Every structure is written in C-alpha cells, then in structure tokens.
Amino acid sequence: MIVSGFIHDTFAASRLLKFSTELKFLDLDYSHRLLNQIKYPNGFIWNTMMRAYLQSSSPQSTIFLYRSMLQESFAPDNYTHPIVIQACSIRFSQLEGKEIHTHVLKMSFDSDVYVQNTLINMYAVCGNLGDARQLFDKSFVLDAVSWNSILAGYVQIGDVEEATLIYNRMLDPNTIASNSMIVLLGRSGRLLDARSLFDKMLDRDVVSWSAMISSYEQNEMFGEALAMFSHMNKCGIVMDEVVMVSVLSACAHLLAMKEGEMIHGLIVRIGIESYVNLQNSLIHMYSSCGNMTASERLFNEGQHLDQISWNSMISGYLKCGFIDDARMLFDSMPEKDVVSWSAMISGYTQHDRFSETLALFNEMQRKETRPDETTLVSVVSACAHLSALDQGKWVHAYIRKHGVHINVILGTTLVDMYMKSGCVENALEIFHTMEETGVSTWNAVIVGLAMNGLIEASLDKFSVMKNCGVMPNEITFMGVLGACRHVGLVEEGRRHFDSMKQIHKIQPNVKHYGCMVDLLGKAGFLKEAEELIESMPMAPDVATWGALLGACKKHGDVEMGARIGRRLVELDPQHDGFHVLLSNIYASKGSWDNVMEIREMMKRHGVVKTPGCSLIEANGVVHEFLAGDRTHPQTKEINHMLNEMARRLKMEGYEPDTKSVALDIDEEEKETALNRHSEKLAIAFGLVSISPPTPIRIMKNLRICIDCHTAAKFISKAFQREIVVRDRHRFHHFKQGVCSCTDYW
C-alpha cells in the first residue's frame, strides 16, 4: 500500500491499521510505525491505535498517544475520551484523569453517558468517591453501567451504608449489582444480610454462588460454605475456578478430606484441573488433612507450578511433621521468596528446633532476603527458648534499623524474649512504647515480672491491666497465681483464684488448680492441697499430683510423699521426674532400700533420668553443658576455673550440700558429683568467657538444686559477678550473695 500510494487513502489505511492491531504475532510497534505513515489519520485511526495499547496492558502508551494526537491539533471525538479515561483508571492516575475530565468539559462531551460512566468509574477506582458521586448525582441520564460503577466504588472502599443506599435506589438491581453487594456484605461480616439478598435474587449466575460461598469461607463458616456448594451442584450450576478454590479452602479448614476428594473428582470431570490456583488449593487441602502422598503426586505431576506451589508443599510437610522433607524441598527450590524462608523458619520454631531456626535465619541474611514480621516473630521466639540474648538483641536492632512495624504479635514476642532472658528493663521499654497492646502483651509482662522475682510489680501490672479495660483471660490468671506461688502469697492467691469464677466468669482449668496446689504445698498446707485436688471438677493431671509430691519432699512428709509418689509412678510409669522425686524423698530419710527399689523399677520400665542441661551464650554462640560434661573444647580452662571457684567458695564459708545427692556413696564422691552439675560448668565457662560487668546468663532444663543455688549466691559475691539462672520454673538473679527468689522456690 505504501508503494501504490493507497496508504494515503484514509479509509484503506484505517482498515489496514485495524487489521494489524488484531494480529497476535505482530508487535504494536509495527502498527505504530504504520500510523506514522498515514498522512491524514482520522478519529477512528487514532482511537484504534489507542484502544490497541489499552487492550495490550500498555495504558501509559495510550495516554502518550493521546498527547501526540492533541499536539497535532487533531480533535478527539466522543469515543476517544472513554479510552483514555480507562487508561487512567488502570494506572490509578487520578491526576491525569482530572486533566482528561477538563478536556471533556471544554469539548462539551460531558453529556455523553458513555464518557460520564468512564469518569465515574475512574474516580471510584482511584478511591475518590466524592467526585465520583458528584458526577453521578449531576448526570441527566443514568444507565445500568452508571449505577454499577458508583456501587462498585463504595464496595471497593468497604462503605456498606452508602453502598446499601445506592443499591436500594436502583429501580431494578441487576445481577452484577447484587453480586457486588453480596461480596461487600460478606467482607463486612454481615452474612445474614448477604444470604437474604442471595435468596431474593431471581437471576443468579456463577458469580452469585461464588460470592456467597466465598463470604462463608472468609468468615470461617466452613460448614455453611460446603453446604452452599452442595446446593449449587444440585442446581446444575457450572462451576468455575473461583468457587473451587473457596470450597477447597473450607475442606482444608474442616479437615474434610472425603469431601475434598469428591471436589477433586469434579474438577477433573469439568476439565479445569490444570489451573495452577486449583492445583495449589488441592495441595493445601490434602496436606492440611495429612495426606502428603496425594500432595506430592499433584506437585510432581503439575505442569504449571508457581512459587505458591512450592511454598504450599513446604508448609504441608511442616504441618505433618516432616521437617527434613520440607528442608530438602526448600533447598531444591529454583527461587525462594520471603514466604518460603518464613515458612521454613517458622516450621523449625514450631517443632522446637530452635538452633536450626537461628542458623536458617543467618543464611537468609546472607542471601539478602528481607524478613517479614512472621519470620522475625519466629526468630525472636527461638532466641527466647535458647536464651540467645545477643542474637535477640541483634534482631531487635535490625527491626529498629529497617523500620519494621512492631505489631501486637511481634511486640509481645520481643517482650517475652527479654523477660525470658532476664532483661526486665528492656522488656518494659518495648511494652511502654508499643502503639497497640493486646491481652497477650499484658500476659507476657505479668508472667515475665513474676518469673524474674518482681512479684509486687507483676501484681500491680495486673491491676493496671484491669483499670485499662483489658479483660484478663485464663493465661492472665496463670501469671497472677504463678506470682503468688513464687513468694508464697497464699491468701492473695486464694482471693485471685476465687475471683476467676465469681468476678471474671472464667472457669479454672486443670493448670489453675495445679498452680494453687503448688502454692499451698510450698507454703506447707499439704492437707489443704490434697483436699483441693480431690475436689477438682475435672480429673487431676499428673503435673498437679507432681506439684504436691514436690511439696512433700520440701517439707519432709515422707508418708504422704511415698503414698502420692507410688500413685504417680503407677499413673505414668514412663515419667522420670516422679521416680526421681520419690527416690529423693526416700534418700532424704536414708531409706536406701526404697531408693534401690525405685531405681530397679526405672530399669524395668526403661525409664531414663533426664540429664541436667544448661545453656549459656557467649559472643553470640550458645554453648550446652550436661552434668559431668568433659567434652567442651575449653574443658581445660573450665576445670581450672572450677578449682578456683572451689577455693574462693571455701574461703567464703561454703559447704557442699551433699544431702541433695540421692546416692548411697561416700561424702567425697558426692562432693565431686555436685561440683560437675551442668549449671556449675556453665558458670565456670561464663567466668572464663564473659567479661564483666556483663551478667552471666544461664538457662537450665531442670529445677536448680539446693547446692547449686547456694553455690551461685557465694560465687556472685566471691567473683563480684551478676549471675542469672533461668530454671524450669523461674529466674534466679544472684547478686552480691543474694538471690531474687529470697530462697523460696
């Protein structure tokens, strides 16, 4: 046409341009070059090219071409502006949209209903409902598109009241409008209104059913979602991908694998099983139900897997407890995003593999992947469990440096980490600067203060919490009763226990009863503690009886201790703690025959005593010591320090408490056994590796023994060092020969 000159024929050129824009294998740059060859382009030609850019997801090119059109002094027609306004909508460019609106007014196209509708839609999409509503109210002609556009705007911003007013003003609401309202009502939690509207609809399409099912699923009404899907299926409605995704999510939450398998079969019959969103939903459903074999088959046979597919499989493995399989898949991923890292890191934390949590987080940092709040919560939680304070502080510094928003969950986890590391001031600083706190945050503070021996502060915080209008829950009272238990506040403990039911309408659970039994037992009210157990409305667990057994040992009640201890051994023959406690009760009275009987019983049942284990962090590395440990690389320096500790302790008047060694051996052997308890090894390592004035912080898996507790007090004075030991129950802050527990533990 160029050679023949027909390119200068406007009609012929317009046909050629339209034809070129519709060919999929031709780049739009070719059509644009063709446009530049046309000598006298008309409105149809300009509009064709602009529309082609719009349909090819290049709205910026549409706007650029419109400007070129104006520069060449070509006047737009009533079809031009809707195209350009739609381009502004796609770009969410309200500024450019307002400029086009000005052109519309200058060229008197504002009375054109098509132009008006695209303007209303543009303002609504950009969230400017004020201008959208003004245009809508001033329009002389309103059609279904006008009503749907303004309604969609209110639906988008979640304005239920205005959307309802618009919907009620419509003379004959169409299916699109009704579907929008169902979506909005469902999103707002007004399920009864959504269902009422759905039931009144005379003409429902697949979107109507999908909107209603999604509303149920989003509001965790999973049974109703499945029932609605079943009704839809009976009505013979053709299913689409959106419906299937929602209903599979409902199956996953309900662990309804049988129903999920039926839906899977329906998906295959319809022929939409290749959709990647459905494949991901099926993988998630099967893994949630514990069927990783089915998930693996779908994953391995998938033709169009995406990042969500890989992440779903990793999450599935982790949920089913297949940690190593999850890690293998994670390591083989072609590309990892923050969700992949977060899933794996969170999985390690949830399965108590805290060392792997920190190792993987360090690897994530080396890969320069920025963690999200979920990742950081898991890492901080791991630091809390490992007493890895240095790493916890580093994470906190990272959060501040990168401006990570400290939400309720992350803030609460940081408070908990510092409390569990014995850094009360740091924990309170975070608590007081948090913009929003929840009951879990208050619980972390109340429990943390009590654990660290600040009982009065803990109970004061409980009073402040109630004055702030925050309702306590079961965990709150565990903290409050625990605070009373730590110092023997029997009367106050009784008062708080009674207030649970009488004032706060909270029924005490077995843990609350166990806490009260421990409080009464430690204070010497053994008979009252046993009577409380007998009066419990639920069956007491072994931990509750165990608390009373520990109290019997403390107060030397061999008769009650032997009776309860043998009962516990019968209830839970595999529990090493009960055997050891009963053995210690007999040993305290020199009943070595009974001690040997218990030890023989342990051998018969294959019960192995949990060895004492202490963790200590030095220079960012967590070191582990077992009782009698001689495997540490710095054993020589540790042994030298143990000798120095023994020398200084003797000068301070310390005498080893050999009565706590439940073995029929001579005194020298008992002293040797005491000298290599895990916490003493950790203290020796701390004195060697941690420079003053940094406190020596130790976490022990068992309750600290009487001798180690006494020794730690003397060491803190002899070496002028602060020692913080977190045992199974609480913190012991040793300073200048005094412990924060005041020897009541």
Side-chain angles (χ1 to χ4, degrees):
M1 283 184 68
I2 293 172
V3 173
S4 65
F6 279 112
I7 193 67
H8 300 304
D9 183 287
T10 302
F11 177 76
S14 68
R15 295 298 96 189
L16 177 62
L17 182 70
K18 189 174 189 305
F19 177 72
S20 70
T21 60
E22 292 173 351
L23 293 175
K24 301 296 182 186
F25 58 84
L26 275 182
D27 192 276
L28 282 180
D29 286 344
Y30 175 85
S31 299
H32 199 155
R33 289 195 298 271
L34 190 61
L35 171 64
N36 293 334
Q37 297 292 325
I38 301 173
K39 194 170 184 179
Y40 304 108
N42 58 16
F44 177 84
I45 291 174
W46 285 103
N47 293 343
T48 298
M49 195 66 230
M50 283 189 282
R51 187 179 292 107
Y53 276 129
L54 184 67
Q55 292 171 349
S56 66
S57 301
S58 298
Q60 67 277 11
S61 298
T62 299
I63 295 171
F64 175 79
L65 198 60
Y66 173 73
R67 287 175 177 154
S68 300
M69 177 183 178
L70 295 179
Q71 287 169 0
E72 294 189 21
S73 302
F74 195 92
D77 58 23
N78 60 327
Y79 293 103
T80 307
H81 288 123
I83 298 171
V84 187
I85 294 167
Q86 286 179 55
C88 296
S89 299
I90 294 171
R91 284 166 55 83
F92 299 102
S93 178
Q94 187 180 173
L95 181 61
E96 289 173 322
K98 281 182 174 289
E99 290 178 0
I100 307 302
H101 190 180
T102 304
H103 295 178
V104 167
L105 294 172
K106 285 181 178 178
M107 299 175 191
S108 301
F109 287 122
D110 53 311
S111 59
D112 187 295
V113 68
Y114 184 31
V115 175
Q116 286 279 24
N117 287 344
T118 51
L119 280 169
I120 291 170
N121 180 69
M122 183 273 295
Y123 283 122
V125 166
C126 294
N128 184 353
L129 268 297
D131 286 346
R133 184 60 180 270
Q134 190 175 22
L135 273 171
F136 178 82
D137 291 338
K138 289 182 178 179
S139 295
F140 294 105
V141 179
L142 295 172
D143 61 6
V145 176
S146 313
W147 288 96
N148 289 343
S149 296
I150 192 67
L151 179 63
Y154 285 119
V155 168
Q156 179 180 296
I157 65 171
D159 192 333
V160 180
E161 303 307 321
E162 284 299 323
T164 303
L165 288 173
I166 290 292
Y167 183 80
N168 291 336
R169 282 176 57 191
M170 297 175 72
L171 296 177
D172 185 19
N174 54 32
T175 304
I176 295 174
S178 297
N179 293 345
S180 296
M181 283 301 298
I182 291 172
V183 169
L184 176 60
L185 292 168
R187 198 188 301 154
S188 305
R190 294 170 56 169
L191 273 299
L192 290 177
D193 293 335
R195 183 57 189 266
S196 176
L197 178 56
F198 176 85
D199 291 338
K200 290 176 183 176
M201 289 177 67
L202 299 177
D203 185 18
R204 305 186 191 109
D205 58 11
V206 65
V207 178
S208 314
W209 290 89
S210 177
M212 197 63 238
I213 291 171
S214 296
S215 294
Y216 281 133
E217 187 267 333
Q218 290 164 7
N219 286 274
E220 300 184 2
M221 298 174 68
F222 306 116
E224 289 82 353
L226 289 182
M228 177 65 77
F229 176 77
S230 177
H231 185 198
M232 179 183 183
N233 196 26
K234 289 176 182 176
C235 291
I237 309 296
V238 178
M239 309 289 180
D240 67 0
E241 177 188 4
V242 178
V243 176
M244 296 299 191
V245 167
S246 294
V247 77
L248 284 171
S249 175
C251 290
H253 281 93
L254 292 172
L255 305 181
M257 191 168 73
K258 182 179 179 182
E259 289 81 357
E261 288 174 334
M262 293 171 61
I263 293 163
H264 188 180
L266 182 58
I267 289 169
V268 173
R269 286 198 298 275
I270 295 172
I272 57 175
E273 71 273 14
S274 62
Y275 288 16
V276 68
N277 285 344
L278 280 178
Q279 289 183 347
N280 293 338
S281 296
L282 285 165
I283 288 171
H284 174 65
M285 184 275 295
Y286 280 120
S287 61
S288 296
C289 296
N291 188 348
M292 285 308 299
T293 302
S295 294
E296 287 171 345
R297 185 171 62 251
L298 282 163
F299 182 79
N300 293 330
E301 294 175 357
Q303 299 296 316
H304 306 287
L305 300 176
D306 61 7
Q307 194 70 30
I308 297 174
S309 313
W310 288 84
N311 292 341
S312 296
M313 281 299 297
I314 290 172
S315 298
Y317 279 130
L318 292 169
K319 184 170 185 177
C320 295
F322 303 139
I323 318 298
D324 295 332
D325 292 312
R327 183 58 191 265
M328 285 179 61
L329 187 63
F330 175 82
D331 290 337
S332 67
M333 289 181 74
E335 184 179 345
K336 302 176 183 70
D337 60 10
V338 66
V339 178
S340 319
W341 289 96
S342 181
M344 198 65 234
I345 288 171
S346 299
Y348 275 140
T349 302
Q350 289 160 11
H351 289 87
D352 297 340
R353 292 172 64 163
F354 304 115
S355 297
E356 287 96 329
T357 298
L358 298 185
L360 190 58
F361 177 69
N362 291 333
E363 184 181 336
M364 181 183 185
Q365 293 300 294
R366 290 194 295 272
K367 298 291 184 181
E368 298 184 350
T369 302
R370 186 169 179 172
D372 58 11
E373 287 88 350
T374 304
T375 312
L376 293 170
V377 165
S378 298
V379 174
V380 173
S381 179
C383 292
H385 281 88
L386 292 174
S387 280
L389 178 61
D390 288 348
Q391 294 197 48
K393 284 183 173 179
W394 185 91
V395 175
H396 188 194
Y398 177 94
I399 290 168
R400 285 197 297 254
K401 179 181 177 181
H402 293 275
V404 178
H405 174 63
I406 298 182
N407 57 23
V408 173
I409 299 174
L410 182 55
T412 301
T413 310
L414 280 167
V415 169
D416 184 60
M417 184 272 293
Y418 277 121
M419 285 294 188
K420 286 180 177 174
S421 300
C423 299
V424 176
E425 290 182 4
N426 301 67
L428 291 177
E429 180 185 352
I430 293 170
F431 174 75
H432 291 307
T433 56
M434 285 176 65
E435 295 177 4
E436 183 184 358
T437 56
V439 64
S440 59
T441 320
W442 287 93
N443 290 346
V445 171
I446 291 167
V447 172
L449 289 169
M451 282 181 60
N452 282 278
L454 300 169
I455 308 305
E456 186 177 347
S458 175
L459 296 175
D460 285 345
K461 271 288 183 288
F462 176 59
S463 298
V464 174
M465 172 187 178
K466 291 187 291 183
N467 291 335
C468 290
V470 181
M471 295 299 295
N473 60 14
E474 293 88 348
I475 298 173
T476 315
F477 278 101
M478 281 299 300
V480 171
L481 294 175
C484 297
R485 176 182 61 179
H486 287 321
V487 290
L489 297 176
V490 176
E491 285 304 318
E492 186 155 1
R494 287 175 178 144
R495 180 167 57 81
H496 287 302
F497 185 74
D498 292 338
S499 74
M500 286 182 67
K501 290 185 292 185
Q502 297 171 4
I503 299 175
H504 300 284
K505 310 304 178 186
I506 298 173
Q507 290 299 320
N509 59 35
V510 68
K511 291 185 177 179
H512 297 112
Y513 278 99
C515 206
M516 280 301 296
V517 167
D518 195 31
L519 169 61
L520 293 168
K522 281 180 179 175
F525 297 95
L526 300 180
K527 185 172 178 58
E528 183 181 347
E530 187 173 19
E531 288 173 353
L532 181 63
I533 293 177
E534 299 293 352
S535 70
M536 287 171 61
M538 74 287 291
D541 59 2
V542 290
T544 304
W545 283 111
L548 183 55
L549 179 62
C552 291
K553 177 183 180 298
K554 178 179 180 179
H555 293 285
D557 192 328
V558 179
E559 182 184 347
M560 180 184 284
R563 173 166 50 82
I564 292 171
R566 290 189 177 277
R567 181 174 182 177
L568 277 169
V569 167
E570 291 174 6
L571 285 172
D572 191 355
Q574 297 301 314
H575 196 296
D576 66 305
F578 300 147
H579 289 85
V580 172
L581 263 177
L582 181 57
S583 174
N584 289 344
I585 288 173
Y586 285 130
S588 66
K589 297 299 181 182
S591 303
W592 299 114
D593 290 341
N594 288 324
V595 171
M596 293 306 298
E597 179 193 350
I598 298 300
R599 294 188 180 276
E600 286 298 322
M601 191 185 301
M602 291 176 71
K603 287 181 182 178
R604 286 199 306 274
H605 290 114
V607 179
V608 180
K609 179 185 175 183
T610 302
C613 172
S614 295
L615 301 177
I616 180 171
E617 184 183 30
N619 302 316
V621 178
V622 178
H623 299 259
E624 182 179 40
F625 291 92
L626 298 176
D629 204 335
R630 298 179 187 273
T631 61
H632 194 276
Q634 292 177 256
T635 295
K636 185 176 180 180
E637 293 95 323
I638 292 170
N639 287 338
H640 178 75
M641 181 54 70
L642 285 171
N643 292 332
E644 178 63 18
M645 285 163 53
R647 186 184 71 81
R648 294 200 193 185
L649 288 177
K650 190 173 183 179
M651 292 176 61
E652 292 287 338
Y654 160 77
E655 291 285 342
D657 185 1
T658 55
K659 295 191 299 295
S660 61
V661 180
L663 295 170
D664 189 15
I665 55 178
D666 62 38
E667 289 298 305
E668 185 177 349
E669 288 179 294
K670 287 183 178 182
E671 287 187 23
T672 302
L674 286 173
N675 194 43
R676 300 200 72 85
H677 275 193
S678 65
E679 51 266 64
K680 286 201 181 80
L681 294 172
I683 290 173
F685 173 77
L687 291 170
V688 168
S689 305
I690 301 173
S691 301
T694 304
I696 297 170
R697 301 179 186 277
I698 297 166
M699 184 178 76
K700 182 174 169 61
N701 65 331
L702 303 175
R703 179 179 175 273
I704 188 171
C705 76
I706 295 173
D707 179 72
C708 286
H709 189 271
T710 303
K713 288 195 296 183
F714 278 101
I715 293 168
S716 70
K717 183 180 180 182
F719 287 83
Q720 292 295 301
R721 294 297 298 272
E722 182 181 353
I723 301 170
V724 181
V725 178
R726 170 182 149 200
D727 70 6
R728 180 186 285 179
H729 298 292
R730 63 177 300 168
F731 273 93
H732 300 269
H733 293 258
F734 301 97
K735 200 170 184 179
Q736 292 297 322
V738 178
C739 180
S740 59
C741 73
T742 65
D743 297 341
Y744 189 93
W745 90 101

